[in-house]
C-alpha cells in the first residue's frame, strides 16, 4: 500500500554531520512546511515490520503505533499532547492501517500543531539507506541530499559525543552513505524528486541555495528560512556542544576544519578509505592515500566498538536514546516467543546481515560491546537530543 499526498513530503538525507540538521531547521521555518526533530522511524521499524505480525489485527497494529508514538527522541516533538490518549488519536486518524499510515498520521499531526502548515518534511540522515522503501510508501516524495566535504564531516563526527571514534571508521561510514545514493540520484533527478545541496555552497550563499531549493520543492522562497536559529528547535540544539552552530546565523566558519583537526596521517587514511567517493562528490584530494595494515584496520574496528559502548553514559552521551533502541530489539524477540511471528517470517531485508546493521538502524554502539562493559540502560534524561 502507498500514500500519495497532494502536498508532497520532503525527506532530508545525507551522511551525519553533513548539514542535514541545518537544512531541517531552515525548511522547518518555511511558512508552509513543518519539519519536526529527527525520527529514525524507517531504520528502526520498517525492516522489522514482520515482527509485529498481521497489522490488520488491532492488537498488532496498536503495538506498532505505541512503539512509534512513544519512541521519539524528542518526546512527541514537543507537541502539547495527552500521553494517555495520543496513541488512540493517531490510530483513529490514519489514512490506512500500515506503517506508512501511522508515519503519515504522526507528521500530519505535527503539521497541524505547527500553525496548520499544509506540508510536512522529515530529516533522518540514514533514511538515505531506505529511499526505495520511502518511495513504496510515498511515491511522490521529494529528497534533498546534503553533501559536505567528507573530511570535515568525519572530523566533526570524531569531535561529537556520538558516532565513530577514529578516522578509519568515520571515513568508511561516510563513503558508505555516499555510495548508497548514487543510483537513486540517477533515477530520481530527471523526475524532479531529487535535489543535491552542497553544504559549502549553502553556508556561503544561503539565500541563493535556498531559493533554488524552494524552486525544486515548488514553493516560494521565504526569508524566514534564514532565521532558523531563532526557533525553539534550533535553540535547544544550539545549547548542546554537538549542535552549537544551530544557535547562531548560518556561517562558513566550519569549512575546512579538517586541515586543523586531522593529522596528515589521518587525512591519508581517509584518502585511502574514501578518496574515490570524495573526488566523485566534487572535492579535491590533496594528499596521497595511506592504507592501514590488516592488523591496524582490525584494531580500528575493535577500539571503535569498545569506545562507543564505554562512553554512551558519558557527558552528553546518548544512553537514553540507545536504551530505547535496545528495548525495541528486545520486544521483537519477546513477540517471537509469544508466537506473534516466526523465524521463517523474517524476509531478511536490508540491513539484516549487514556488518553495520546496528548502526544503520540507529544504534550508537554494538550490543556485543554494551554487553561486554555491562552498560546499564537509562530511560529518562534531560539533555536535548
Amino acid at each position: 500500500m502507498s500514500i500519495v499526498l497532494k502536498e508532497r513530503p520532503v525527506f532530508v538525507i545525507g551522511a551525519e554531520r553533513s548539514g542535514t540538521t541545518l537544512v531541517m531547521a531552515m525548511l522547518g521555518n518555511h511558512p508552509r512546511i513543518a519539519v519536526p526533530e529527527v525520527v529514525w522511524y524507517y531504520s528502526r521499524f520498517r525492516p522489522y515490520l514482520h515482527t509485529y505480525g498481521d497489522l490488520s489485527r488491532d492488537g498488532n497494529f496498536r503495538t506498532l503505533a505505541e512503539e512509534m508514538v512513544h519512541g521519539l527522541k524528542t518526546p512527541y516533538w514537543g507537541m502539547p499532547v495527552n500521553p494517555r490518549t495520543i496513541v488512540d488519536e493517531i490510530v483513529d486518524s490514519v489514512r490506512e492501517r500500515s506503517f506508512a499510515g501511522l508515519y503519515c498520521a504522526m507528521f500530519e499531526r505535527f503539521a497541524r500543531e505547527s500553525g496548520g502548515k499544509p506540508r510536512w518534511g522529515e530529516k533522518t540522515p540514514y533514511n538515505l539507506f531506505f529511499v526505495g522503501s520511502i518511495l513504496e510508501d510515498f511515491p511522490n516524495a521529494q529528497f534533498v541530499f546534503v553533501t559536505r566535504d567528507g573530511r570535515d564531516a568525519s572530523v566533526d563526527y570524531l569531535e561529537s559525543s556520538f558516532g565513530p571514534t577514529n578516522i578509519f571508521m568515520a571515513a568508511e561510514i561516510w563513503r558508505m552513505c555516499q555510495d548508497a545514493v548514487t543510483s537513486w540520484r540517477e533515477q530520481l533527478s530527471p523526475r524532479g524528486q531529487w535535489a543535491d545541496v552542497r553544504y559549502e555552497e549553502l553556508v556561503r550563499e544561503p539565500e541563493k541555495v535556498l531559493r533554488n531549493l524552494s524552486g525544486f520543492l515548488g514553493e516560494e522562497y521565504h526569508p524566514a528560512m534564514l532565521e532558523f536559529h531563532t526557533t525553539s528547535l534550533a535553540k535547544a540544539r544550539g545549547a548542546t556542544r554537538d549542535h552549537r552552530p544551530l544557535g547562531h546565523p548560518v556561517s562558513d566558519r566550519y569549512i575546512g576544519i579538517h586541515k586543523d583537526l586531522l593529522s596528515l596521517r589521518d587525512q591519508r587514511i581517509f584518502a585511502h578509505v574514501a578518496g574515490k567517493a570524495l573526488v566523485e562528490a566534487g572535492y579535491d584530494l590533496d594528499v596521497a592515500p595511506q592504507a592501514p595494515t590488516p592488523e591496524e584496520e582490525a584494531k580500528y574496528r575493535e577500539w571503535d566498538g569498545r569506545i562507543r559502548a564505554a562512553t554512551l553514559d558519558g557527558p552528553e552521551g546518548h544512553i537514553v536514546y540507545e536504551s530505547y533502541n535496545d528495548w525495541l530489539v528486545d520486544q521483537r524477540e519477546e513477540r517471537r516467543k509469544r508466537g506473534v511471528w516466526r523465524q521463517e517470517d523474517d524476509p531478511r531485508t536490508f540491513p539484516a546481515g549487514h556488518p553495520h546493521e546496528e548502526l544503520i538502524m540507529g544504534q550508537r554502539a554494538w550490543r556485543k560491546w554494551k554487553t561486554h562493559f555491562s552498560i546499564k540502560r537509562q530511560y529518562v534524561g534531560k539533555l536535548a537530543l
Side-chain angles (χ1 to χ4, degrees):
M1 294 185 287
S2 61
I3 297 174
V4 178
L5 299 173
K6 179 180 178 181
E7 298 283 355
R8 305 168 73 181
V10 184
F11 290 84
V12 179
I13 56 178
E16 291 190 284
R17 314 307 294 175
S18 291
T20 54
T21 304
L22 174 60
V23 175
M24 171 188 77
M26 288 174 161
L27 286 180
N29 215 31
H30 189 284
R32 279 181 38 84
I33 307 174
V35 187
E37 266 287 6
V38 62
V39 294
W40 294 90
Y41 276 167
Y42 269 91
S43 52
R44 291 196 293 177
F45 294 101
R46 188 59 156 71
Y48 310 103
L49 290 179
H50 63 279
T51 72
Y52 295 88
D54 183 357
L55 293 182
S56 68
R57 301 181 62 177
D58 291 343
N60 295 342
F61 189 64
R62 186 176 179 84
T63 296
L64 176 60
E66 288 174 344
E67 293 186 357
M68 291 175 66
V69 172
H70 294 311
L72 294 169
K73 288 183 66 178
T74 302
Y76 314 115
W77 291 322
M79 295 186 293
V81 305
N82 183 341
R84 291 181 179 272
T85 62
I86 182 61
V87 174
D88 289 330
E89 293 165 11
I90 293 297
V91 168
D92 290 342
S93 68
V94 297
R95 292 171 178 264
E96 62 178 41
R97 292 176 65 87
S98 65
F99 166 81
L102 287 169
Y103 187 98
C104 188
M106 283 291 292
F107 281 88
E108 290 181 331
R109 173 67 176 257
F110 180 79
R112 289 195 300 272
E113 296 287 350
S114 301
K117 291 185 177 183
R119 191 175 187 182
W120 57 261
E122 93 107 298
K123 168 257 177 179
T124 298
Y126 282 3
N127 276 350
L128 62 89
F129 294 112
F130 300 96
V131 173
S133 296
I134 292 171
L135 289 171
E136 288 178 8
D137 295 338
F138 303 101
N140 65 343
Q142 291 182 289
F143 297 86
V144 178
F145 183 76
V146 186
T147 301
R148 182 186 183 189
D149 186 319
R151 296 160 296 190
D152 286 346
S154 292
V155 74
D156 214 343
Y157 229 170
L158 297 177
E159 292 286 303
S160 70
S161 56
F162 64 93
T165 59
N166 60 66
I167 191 58
F168 178 87
M169 294 301 296
E172 182 175 78
I173 292 171
W174 184 84
R175 182 196 67 203
M176 184 172 68
C177 291
Q178 294 298 121
D179 291 345
V181 302
T182 301
S183 63
W184 290 116
R185 176 186 288 113
E186 295 172 354
Q187 293 179 47
L188 298 178
S189 293
R191 290 156 46 178
Q193 290 184 265
W194 187 278
D196 283 294
V197 170
R198 187 180 293 265
Y199 169 83
E200 292 80 9
E201 294 176 358
L202 174 63
V203 298
R204 284 173 172 152
E205 299 182 278
E207 182 175 333
K208 175 184 175 181
V209 173
L210 289 176
R211 283 186 180 277
N212 290 337
L213 182 57
S214 297
F216 162 75
L217 296 174
E219 302 285 353
E220 291 186 11
Y221 166 75
H222 201 286
M225 298 169 78
L226 289 176
E227 300 300 318
F228 65 91
H229 57 284
T230 65
T231 65
S232 56
L233 181 153
K235 289 178 179 178
R237 287 277 195 140
T240 66
R241 180 174 64 86
D242 290 340
H243 298 284
R244 196 155 290 144
L246 281 186
H248 57 70
V250 65
S251 169
D252 64 0
R253 74 183 72 173
Y254 305 103
I255 295 177
I257 57 175
H258 72 276
K259 296 177 182 177
D260 291 326
L261 298 176
L262 283 184
S263 68
L264 179 58
R265 182 204 63 174
D266 281 0
Q267 292 182 49
R268 288 176 171 170
I269 291 175
F270 181 94
H272 166 72
V273 177
K276 181 175 181 289
L278 187 74
V279 172
E280 290 175 348
Y283 296 91
D284 294 328
L285 192 62
D286 52 7
V287 300
Q290 176 180 326
T293 66
E295 293 77 17
E296 290 171 333
E297 179 177 328
K299 183 176 180 179
Y300 278 132
R301 295 187 186 282
E302 177 166 335
W303 279 85
D304 182 57
R306 288 175 175 271
I307 296 171
R308 280 175 179 260
T311 56
L312 275 172
D313 58 354
E316 294 199 0
H318 285 231
I319 187 63
V320 174
Y321 168 66
E322 190 76 359
S323 297
Y324 186 75
N325 274 348
D326 285 334
W327 180 83
L328 285 178
V329 175
D330 290 347
Q331 294 310 298
R332 295 176 202 155
E333 179 60 17
E334 288 300 315
R335 290 193 293 273
R336 187 192 65 78
K337 291 178 180 178
R338 297 198 308 269
V340 174
W341 67 285
R342 301 168 300 171
Q343 202 65 53
E344 51 265 37
D345 297 329
D346 187 349
R348 299 295 291 173
T349 56
F350 179 88
H354 191 283
H356 291 319
E357 176 181 355
E358 291 171 277
L359 301 187
I360 291 170
M361 67 166 282
Q363 301 283 37
R364 293 306 182 187
W366 287 269
R367 177 164 290 205
K368 166 186 174 181
W369 293 113
K370 286 179 286 191
T371 301
H372 176 83
F373 289 112
S374 300
I375 302 299
K376 294 182 180 179
R377 296 181 186 178
Q378 179 181 331
Y379 293 102
V380 179
K382 299 179 180 180
L383 295 177
L385 297 176

